[in-house]
Amino acid sequence: MKKILVAFMTACVVFFTGCSKIEVKNEKGWWTDYDECLKAASESGKKIMMIISADEVEKSGETLKQELFYTEVFMQKYQDEYEFCEIDVSPSLIVNAFPKNNIPEAIRNDKAKTRKFLNEHKKGQRDAAKILEKRMKIMATFDVTHRPMMVFITKEGYPIADVQYFPSAQIETFDEIIEYYSPRITEYLTLVETAHNSTGLDRVKAIDDLYNRTSNSYRYHLTELMREIPKLDKENKSQLVGKYLLALATSDTIDATIARKPHKIAQIYEKVAKNKFLSKQEQQQAYFAELYIIGKNSPTDKELKQMKALLDKIILLDPSSPIGMQAASKLEQLNEFIKRREEYEKKIKEESEGSDN
């Protein structure tokens, strides 16, 4: 079962106030807004080279930028092929997004100046909060676990591969990295082209080939392509519709997490599990995902009953499958947990009644 919840990490950019515009490109020619970079790549037809770093706390990223990525030699060598994007995820942006409202002492007695200060303060805070939200989504959907990290991305926004180790900040070393990843990039671009040039069930097959070649961590970025599968194959002739309905549930789960609507997640899996195109094993996966969501915190008595019902459904679908056997084991553990919990609660109640007497 795919990982469905991704830890959010804080991000950083320069804090803009007053009438200043939010920066989308820095003075070195690198985009600092991924969405704007994606638009530029769509227009130029170039691939995207995005580096994610935390310059305030990890100096290796800043060193790479100053000694390699920002240099004229690097830019001239790769600018015809790539749009460049840098995402600095240092911890200061969260401070800028939620700054203290400290009115300078010099203007506290001047209502007009105080009002202007507060308006500019709120504007800057809103701008920083918007950037923070975007950066959090990037951190989540690109599953950043190591920094600095570079991702090669198609002009459509499909991540191809990532680089998480840079031996040095020398252009010759980076050329070797590009040479190493070049066959993978070429293969992936061919799969993308095939998918976009195909129709009907051929397109379903091409999207599936692209999906299978994409890392688990990056399949969220294929969501719009995945949504085409049920529409292209309404009778499930490819036998792939269930697979992609389940994959779309994972994408919807990530969206709900980012939108801070965790209460919707279990409903997503409950709904998809009932679709007629899911195989028994896929239904089991959906119910197991719902089970995990309900039980990941301290479950209430009502939630324990829901968990038992889900385990019963999983076992009934196919008791001999790996998930079915795992569910049977989980059900035994759950029943034992409920039994001990009830015994403990009964004991506490009896002790309480005894002390009252």
Side-chain angles (χ1 to χ4, degrees), residues 340-356:
R340 291 186 179 184
R341 180 165 160 169
E342 289 175 345
E343 289 174 350
Y344 175 77
E345 290 175 349
K346 181 181 178 181
K347 180 181 178 182
I348 294 297
K349 183 179 179 181
E350 289 174 349
E351 289 176 353
S352 176
E353 290 174 349
S355 63
D356 289 342

Side-chain angles (χ1 to χ4, degrees), residues 97-114:
F98 305 100
K100 293 182 179 179
N101 186 9
N102 293 327
I103 301 172
E105 187 174 352
I107 66 170
R108 286 179 186 173
N109 295 325
D110 188 319
K111 290 184 178 181
K113 289 182 178 180
T114 297

